[in-house]
Amino acid sequence: MKQLLLIILFLTCLCINAQATHIRAGEITARRLGCTSRTYEFTLTAYRDTGSDILFGNGIFDYGDGNTIALNPDGFFRKEIIDNEVELVQFRLTHTYPGDGSFTVSYVEDFRNANIINMSNSVQTPFYVETTVRLDPIFGCNDTPVFLVPPIDKGAVGVLFFHNPGAFDINGDSISFKVTIPKSRKNVEVGNYRFPDVAGGGQNEQQTGPATYTLDQLTGDIFWDAPGLQGEYNIAFIAEEWRKIDGEYRFLGSVTRDMQIIIGETDNDPPELEIPMDTCIEAGTLLEAQIIATDPNPESLVKIEAFGGPFTLVPSATLSPDPAVYDQSPTTADFSWQTTCDHIREDPYLIRFKATDNGPGIRLTAFETWSVTVVPPAPKNVVAESKPQRSIEVSWDPYDCGLAEVVQVYRRVDSFAFNPENCEIGIPENGGYELIGAVPVAQNSFLDNNAGRGLDFGATYCYRLVAVFELPTGGVSYASEEVCEQIAATGPVITNVSISSTDANNGEVIVSWLPPFEIDTSIYPPPYKYQVLRSSGSGFSPVTTVVNDTTYTDSGLNTLDEVYRYRLNLYLDEAEINEENLIEVSATASTVRLGSVGLFEAVELNWEADVPWSNTNQDFPYHYIYRNKVAADTNLMVLIDSVDVTQFGYQYIDSGAFNNVKLSNNEQYCYYVTTSGGYGNEDIFEPLLNNSQVLCAMPDDNINPCPPFEVSFNLGSEGDCLSFLADKPCNFYQFENTLVWEANLTDSCDANISYYEIFYTNTIDGEFQLVGTTTETTFTHKDLEEFAGCYKIRAVDQSENRSDFSEVFCKENCPNIAFPNLITPNGDNKNDLFTPFYPGGAATGAIPLDKCPRFLEKIEFKVYNRYGKQVYEYTSGGENSVYINWNGTNFSGEQLPSAIYYFEALVTFDMLRPENKERFIKGYVEIRR
């Protein structure tokens, strides 16, 4: 009896000990050891329940390439008690991969800690985490993200729970987050898993609805509003890493974290944090801030901790006191970070501050995130200097901050006052600057000769520079100070290209200019004459020659639809007009082109002009909007508003706000715009005013157009298809599909269709891709390798409203095959082999094109003698051609006697629908020897 009691006592102790086991949370992170090697250092981080005597490290680490290793609990790299009954344990392992590829690294170990509420029998459930790394030369160097906030956190019943893992990517890659379910093995979810809001039940903190659990995909913020039942819960999420390559985000890998939330009953209230506003700081500057934490419970003490990328860098950020200590509320902590050029990156650093109180009861926390962007400094000491051939050289001090890749040079005509504010990075959006070049960062000068054409007469050119940093970290500097230089007016200075009359046939444009007021008159004495040239396409043509005047009205034009460009050739008054006597050529200036988009009870206007002066002028910033249907004379064009283009750009929305009269969706409104600009030259008058054409447009509502109907193909049947191919060679592979349809203009839909979008897929269940647009009700899809494919079409109206798609309509290939009924296998290379008709086949002479095999994929071929006995069989594939090439022998390779034989052929064609792919063909063939 005593022996039985001892056994029971021993087993009971075992059960109690087992119930303490043992793993709470963890993840695997990876660091690549050199950009040219395939060696990674993996860090396995786990959090152990210290209530168990079982050590962590009894599991299997799988490198994802077929190699595994059994860990030894004594082989840990780091071990530290970080909280009550929570021990951090880390292992580091190094592995070299044999080649490039995607590898899922994982770790599995028995057992999780006991009594996890939202899974069944957690103490007997293995713990499993995984991480994916991708080795590919296109990605270059890469490490996985790391998590800087421990995955053990505490909350209270009825109180909103918030947590952020503090994910940080040292390479500057982007991170996204998604929810997953904790695993017990690869691809095996833990048993009976329930998300915490389901397992814990209860209401949200405001008691207005059931509890919710969410994960922010961009920030990684975890919200549980609010726990309804005390206990321990496990959740898991995946942090995915993305790198921007050639303008497209590419997946680099992922890290799965399995974490634990401990919920208790308490009367405690969480602390609150006060942190600075999000900010930018120029690299090389010291960033300092004070963090304040308060707690609503007078008896509670509070400590402040911080996590984030800056604490992992060199020099690292600091938070004082360190380590954090509990202190009376309110308490403060001092943040300090001496930034350097090595800290520059496009994305902000996210610094997570955590305030923790000491009760009463369960300790509660508060998180706040401070976003800090380290911005490159602007290029310094920029100088602009005039050079021969109407060019300007811009130079600056060598740029030696961080991993800058290029210095971009921006230019505009006339000065633009701009003093960047904090976080106002790069060139101002509506500043009128254009990017004219970029040079390697090792170069510190740029020659602007206007792409070899020379800069424009009389213009003051102003420049700003920005430094751009290499991806993946990226970054764009503040804009440099502006420098300006003026080009002498030694040629005609064009000042106006203004539409005075809008008409399709009798439109008029006024062209004005200044004489070359800075020309060397000792070489080119006045008076002068000017040849006016015009273009509405690719080349210029002479229009007229003007003597003793500087303006010309060009008439008989289609100003309604066309954009016209003008330039002037300068000659001495008495000189003959030819290339030899040409003195100078002015800049080119275009008419102002006004466009519109119909909106609901409104019209959006936009305009542009290609001119040598600047239409973004801070001294005269307004462009003027004129419209009809305002005065008693509804045809009269009245000034209704103006736009500060330095703030809002070249666009305006007329909703009738200027007179509080809404626009009608059923009426047409006409507009023109007057632009205002200048050369930035004191000797050239300002503002330069130029009118656009008159444009009439209708507002539009939110009614979509109806989808097209009666959609079909020009060659819609198999017969049409074969007729098309009847005169094409057997190796013809230049197919096209012509689609036709009818516009659906029913009263319930918007009938103002602007264009149609055509979508295509080459498989019956594939994803449709946009392959073209057209304003017609027909479309030809060219450069196809086959006919087979499916299409759908939708209509788009002038407000970019889109209809539903038309029905999907598909076209099949038109398969074809034909066989001879005679072979003479006598070795004369004429009809020696039985094959389908095809060029190069055994049949003598050229084959009729209507017998060409088309869209052939596979043949299964059987031959029978006249008694029904099978004598031969052939299946294409591998080295066996689809052309059979049977030489009249049997299974054993023996010659069959002259006779009539019967064949069966199961032919597989390249077809869209599976049911159309196979055809069974019977026939006969005579062997004549």
Side-chain angles (χ1 to χ4, degrees):
M1 187 66 178
K2 278 186 178 180
Q3 187 176 14
L4 179 60
L5 288 172
L6 286 173
I7 292 172
I8 293 172
L9 181 61
F10 175 72
L11 292 174
T12 302
C13 291
L14 280 180
C15 292
I16 293 171
N17 189 49
Q19 287 297 313
T21 61
H22 94 282
I23 307 173
R24 294 184 182 273
E27 73 265 352
I28 301 167
T29 55
R31 181 171 68 94
R32 189 171 178 180
L33 302 181
C35 296
T36 58
S37 78
R38 295 190 179 96
T39 302
Y40 275 92
E41 178 187 79
F42 295 101
T43 300
L44 169 64
T45 303
Y47 297 80
R48 185 180 76 91
D49 187 336
T50 58
S52 167
D53 293 332
I54 300 178
L55 301 178
F56 177 81
N58 290 291
I60 301 297
F61 195 96
D62 188 332
Y63 293 107
D65 62 351
N67 292 292
T68 61
I69 183 173
L71 298 191
N72 183 324
D74 296 329
F76 62 85
F77 159 74
R78 176 187 173 197
K79 186 177 287 189
E80 178 184 350
I81 300 295
I82 64 167
D83 204 344
N84 291 340
E85 296 189 339
V86 180
E87 179 183 59
L88 179 149
V89 185
Q90 285 185 328
F91 287 79
R92 283 192 174 165
L93 305 98
T94 301
H95 183 69
T96 300
Y97 288 97
D100 294 339
S102 180
F103 305 96
T104 298
V105 183
S106 61
Y107 180 75
V108 62
E109 178 175 339
D110 298 333
F111 304 90
R112 293 175 180 266
N113 69 319
N115 300 321
I116 297 174
I117 286 178
N118 57 333
M119 67 179 72
S120 296
N121 196 18
S122 62
V123 72
Q124 296 295 328
T125 300
F127 176 84
Y128 173 88
V129 287
E130 66 183 28
T131 288
T132 297
V133 295
R134 296 185 69 189
L135 274 166
D136 190 322
I138 194 174
F139 298 145
C141 283
N142 185 56
D143 304 333
T144 64
V146 296
F147 300 116
L148 302 176
V149 178
I152 309 294
D153 210 347
K154 297 179 179 179
V157 172
V159 179
L160 171 69
F161 171 83
F162 170 83
H163 177 87
N164 187 284
F168 175 68
D169 190 285
I170 190 66
N171 308 116
D173 296 309
S174 298
I175 305 172
S176 64
F177 300 86
K178 65 181 183 182
V179 171
T180 189
I181 293 176
K183 305 291 192 299
S184 60
R185 291 278 189 272
K186 184 176 180 65
N187 298 325
V188 179
E189 298 173 357
V190 299
N192 192 30
Y193 183 78
R194 289 143 294 146
F195 288 106
D197 57 327
V198 175
Q203 298 282 301
N204 60 31
E205 188 176 40
Q206 301 301 318
Q207 297 294 303
T208 58
T212 59
Y213 165 70
T214 58
L215 170 69
D216 190 297
Q217 296 180 353
L218 297 180
T219 65
D221 289 341
I222 297 168
F223 294 93
W224 180 6
D225 186 12
L229 180 68
Q230 67 178 347
E232 295 177 354
Y233 300 79
N234 270 61
I235 63 172
F237 58 87
I238 301 171
E240 294 183 327
E241 186 182 17
W242 304 85
R243 179 167 295 177
K244 197 172 188 179
I245 300 174
D246 296 330
E248 179 183 352
Y249 281 98
R250 305 285 294 274
F251 175 70
L252 294 184
S254 62
V255 179
T256 300
R257 170 176 260 197
D258 192 318
M259 71 167 287
Q260 190 165 88
I261 304 169
I262 302 171
I263 301 299
E265 292 274 5
T266 182
D267 293 329
N268 189 17
D269 295 308
E272 296 178 356
L273 273 166
E274 183 180 332
I275 67 171
M277 297 284 289
D278 293 345
T279 190
C280 295
I281 185 166
E282 186 174 303
T285 306
L286 176 65
L287 178 63
E288 294 182 309
Q290 187 176 76
I291 314 303
I292 302 172
T294 58
D295 195 284
N297 302 300
E299 68 275 24
S300 295
L301 303 179
V302 187
K303 69 176 180 179
I304 302 173
E305 300 170 280
F307 309 87
F311 297 97
T312 70
L313 304 177
V314 179
S316 66
T318 61
L319 188 71
S320 178
D322 183 23
V325 295
Y326 285 103
D327 204 348
Q328 292 288 338
S329 172
T331 187
T332 63
D334 294 319
F335 174 87
S336 178
W337 184 23
Q338 178 59 58
T339 63
T340 72
C341 290
D342 292 334
H343 299 155
I344 291 168
R345 56 188 279 168
E346 182 177 7
D347 291 337
Y349 291 91
L350 301 179
I351 304 168
R352 319 286 185 179
F353 293 101
K354 179 181 180 182
T356 307
D357 66 20
N358 67 343
I362 191 169
R363 291 175 295 178
L364 297 181
T365 61
F367 281 87
E368 292 290 346
T369 300
W370 189 25
S371 175
V372 176
T373 303
V374 180
V375 180
K380 298 293 193 293
N381 295 322
V382 184
V383 176
E385 183 180 358
S386 292
K387 294 294 180 180
Q389 281 76 52
R390 303 202 316 271
S391 62
I392 295 174
E393 183 180 68
V394 183
S395 60
W396 56 93
D397 287 350
Y399 195 88
D400 57 359
C401 184
L403 297 176
E405 184 176 16
V406 296
V407 173
Q408 292 180 336
V409 182
Y410 287 83
R411 182 188 75 193
R412 60 163 282 134
V413 172
D414 198 4
S415 180
F416 188 84
F418 170 63
N419 186 23
E421 297 182 359
N422 187 18
C423 292
E424 196 171 4
I425 298 166
I427 298 298
E429 180 179 0
N430 293 314
Y433 292 92
E434 63 172 332
L435 176 65
I436 61 169
V439 299
V441 71
Q443 183 176 328
N444 65 323
S445 66
F446 177 82
L447 182 66
D448 180 16
N449 59 13
N450 204 20
R453 299 185 299 272
L455 295 166
D456 297 331
F457 299 114
T460 297
Y461 286 94
C462 299
Y463 301 87
R464 290 185 188 267
L465 312 179
V466 296
V468 178
F469 281 63
E470 295 178 356
L471 294 173
T473 51
V476 176
S477 75
Y478 286 114
S480 72
E481 293 184 357
E482 185 183 67
V483 293
C484 301
E485 188 72 5
Q486 188 170 293
I487 299 297
T490 57
V493 179
I494 196 164
T495 56
N496 295 93
V497 177
S498 184
I499 296 176
S500 57
S501 175
T502 300
D503 192 84
N505 300 300
N506 296 307
E508 294 184 349
V509 175
I510 298 174
V511 183
S512 301
W513 59 93
L514 295 177
F517 56 85
E518 291 181 306
I519 198 170
D520 189 339
T521 57
S522 66
I523 301 175
Y524 304 106
Y528 307 109
K529 63 183 176 184
Y530 308 90
Q531 185 184 40
V532 180
L533 297 98
R534 180 185 69 221
S535 173
S536 59
S538 58
F540 281 86
S541 300
V543 176
T544 191
T545 299
V546 177
V547 181
N548 294 325
D549 200 352
T550 56
T551 189
Y552 171 73
T553 299
D554 194 12
S555 59
L557 303 175
N558 179 9
T559 52
L560 181 67
D561 302 309
E562 299 287 348
V563 174
Y564 292 98
R565 296 180 296 141
Y566 292 87
R567 72 183 186 202
L568 307 168
N569 289 344
L570 174 68
Y571 296 91
L572 294 177
D573 182 28
E574 296 181 355
E576 183 180 350
I577 293 181
N578 57 39
E579 188 69 25
E580 183 178 347
N581 294 326
L582 178 64
I583 301 174
E584 289 289 4
V585 179
S586 77
T588 298
S590 77
T591 51
V592 181
R593 188 63 185 174
L594 180 62
S596 69
V597 176
L599 305 175
F600 181 69
E601 295 184 345
V603 173
E604 178 182 326
L605 302 176
N606 52 78
W607 57 97
E608 60 181 354
D610 183 11
V611 293
W613 60 86
S614 173
N615 279 323
T616 305
N617 188 310
Q618 287 180 312
D619 291 331
F620 303 97
Y622 294 101
H623 291 193
Y624 303 96
I625 315 298
Y626 292 82
R627 199 196 83 189
N628 68 351
K629 298 187 178 179
V630 178
D633 181 358
T634 59
N635 293 318
L636 184 65
M637 303 294 285
V638 176
L639 177 66
I640 64 168
D641 210 341
S642 60
V643 179
D644 183 346
V645 296
T646 67
Q647 297 292 321
F648 304 107
Y650 298 171
Q651 59 183 6
Y652 174 79
I653 295 179
D654 177 21
S655 61
F658 72 94
N659 62 357
N660 292 318
V661 177
K662 290 184 178 181
L663 275 64
S664 169
N665 287 330
N666 299 316
E667 287 196 51
Q668 188 179 68
Y669 298 86
C670 297
Y671 302 85
Y672 74 87
V673 172
T674 299
T675 62
S676 175
Y679 278 96
N681 186 329
E682 292 181 354
D683 295 322
I684 301 175
F685 63 89
E686 293 182 358
L688 304 178
L689 302 176
N690 290 276
N691 296 334
S692 73
Q693 90 281 13
V694 174
L695 172 71
C696 297
M698 291 182 65
D700 203 353
D701 53 20
N702 54 6
I703 299 176
N704 295 334
C706 281
F709 68 105
E710 298 293 337
V711 289
S712 62
F713 293 98
N714 194 31
L715 299 176
S717 68
E718 184 174 319
D720 292 338
C721 173
L722 289 173
S723 296
F724 170 80
L725 292 171
D727 60 350
K728 305 299 188 294
C730 294
N731 60 351
F732 179 81
Y733 290 106
Q734 296 178 350
F735 296 95
E736 60 184 39
N737 285 325
T738 298
L739 291 58
V740 293
W741 60 91
E742 291 188 20
N744 192 338
L745 305 180
T746 57
D747 292 339
S748 61
C749 301
D750 189 340
N752 294 310
I753 296 172
S754 294
Y755 60 94
Y756 296 91
E757 294 178 327
I758 293 86
F759 291 78
Y760 165 79
T761 177
N762 62 356
T763 60
I764 198 71
D765 55 356
E767 183 177 349
F768 282 87
Q769 301 290 334
L770 178 67
V771 293
T773 61
T774 179
T775 58
E776 307 296 331
T777 55
T778 182
F779 176 79
T780 299
H781 190 194
K782 298 182 177 181
D783 299 323
L784 300 172
E785 294 183 355
E786 59 181 357
F787 282 126
C790 293
Y791 296 84
K792 58 183 180 180
I793 304 171
R794 67 183 177 189
V796 185
D797 67 18
Q798 63 182 9
S799 296
E800 295 295 304
N801 294 320
R802 284 165 168 78
S803 73
D804 292 335
F805 281 107
S806 69
E807 61 178 345
V808 174
F809 58 111
C810 302
K811 184 174 182 178
E812 278 284 20
N813 288 321
C814 44
N816 193 53
I817 193 168
F819 296 99
N821 54 21
L822 174 68
I823 61 172
T824 57
N826 54 17
D828 64 356
N829 294 324
K830 295 180 180 179
N831 295 329
D832 282 343
L833 303 175
F834 179 86
T835 73
F837 287 106
Y838 77 100
T844 58
I847 68 167
L849 294 179
D850 63 355
K851 296 185 182 297
C852 285
R854 308 282 188 185
F855 309 107
L856 190 59
E857 282 190 342
K858 180 182 177 182
I859 289 183
E860 298 176 32
F861 176 71
K862 297 177 182 179
V863 181
Y864 301 86
N865 63 20
R866 61 180 179 174
Y867 303 109
K869 180 180 179 181
Q870 184 176 345
V871 295
Y872 184 75
E873 183 173 356
Y874 177 92
T875 301
S876 66
E879 296 181 356
N880 289 351
S881 164
V882 291
Y883 297 121
I884 305 174
N885 295 319
W886 178 50
N887 61 1
T889 58
N890 63 13
F891 285 113
S892 302
E894 300 168 340
Q895 291 185 356
L896 292 169
S898 296
I900 292 178
Y901 295 84
Y902 301 90
F903 68 83
E904 296 176 346
L906 181 61
V907 186
T908 303
F909 294 98
D910 178 12
M911 301 292 283
L912 192 66
R913 295 179 176 85
E915 63 269 23
N916 295 340
K917 292 181 74 68
E918 292 185 348
R919 292 191 181 182
F920 189 69
I921 300 172
K922 290 185 176 183
Y924 73 91
V925 59
E926 179 183 354
I927 298 178
R928 186 182 301 169
R929 295 189 184 277

